[in-house]
Amino acid sequence: MHLYLSKRSFINSTLTDEHGQVLYKVDTPIWRLSRTTTLSCAIPDDIPRREGERDSKLTANRFAYAGKVTQRLASPSSIRFGGGEFEIKKYFRKEGWGPYGR
């Protein structure tokens, strides 16, 4: 499976499959001393809606919390998913120079 970004930047975008179906949403508020990116995944249609949840076109695409990435300038950045919190440096390494590199 291939995932495609809805725009060049991954910040505040969606990831779709080859058929254009939105599978993930990425939401990142304005950057300050830290930035938290929230990743949500699409809930399949075969999973029943909660009692009282409207069944309309406005709520056709349902999303659930999948994880968060917290980027900090002064302390280690972290990834939270599956009930755990992990340091980013264990999974990603920096390359190049600048705010996102060395």
Side-chain angles (χ1 to χ4, degrees), residues 31-98:
W31 171 271
R32 294 214 168 90
L33 294 176
S34 69
R35 174 172 40 188
T36 301
T37 298
T38 303
L39 180 65
S40 302
C41 62
I43 299 174
D45 290 334
D46 59 349
I47 295 178
R49 295 180 183 276
R50 289 186 224 155
E51 189 174 319
E53 187 177 12
R54 293 185 309 154
D55 187 14
S56 71
K57 292 188 180 199
L58 295 175
T59 59
N61 289 332
R62 298 181 302 152
F63 291 88
Y65 171 84
K68 284 192 177 190
V69 177
T70 303
Q71 301 167 330
R72 298 180 191 95
L73 291 175
S75 59
S77 297
S78 63
I79 300 174
R80 282 180 267 161
F81 66 93
E85 185 168 350
F86 312 93
E87 285 189 24
I88 283 181
K89 67 182 180 181
K90 291 183 180 179
Y91 299 96
F92 300 100
R93 64 186 165 106
K94 294 181 178 184
E95 290 186 3
W97 296 92

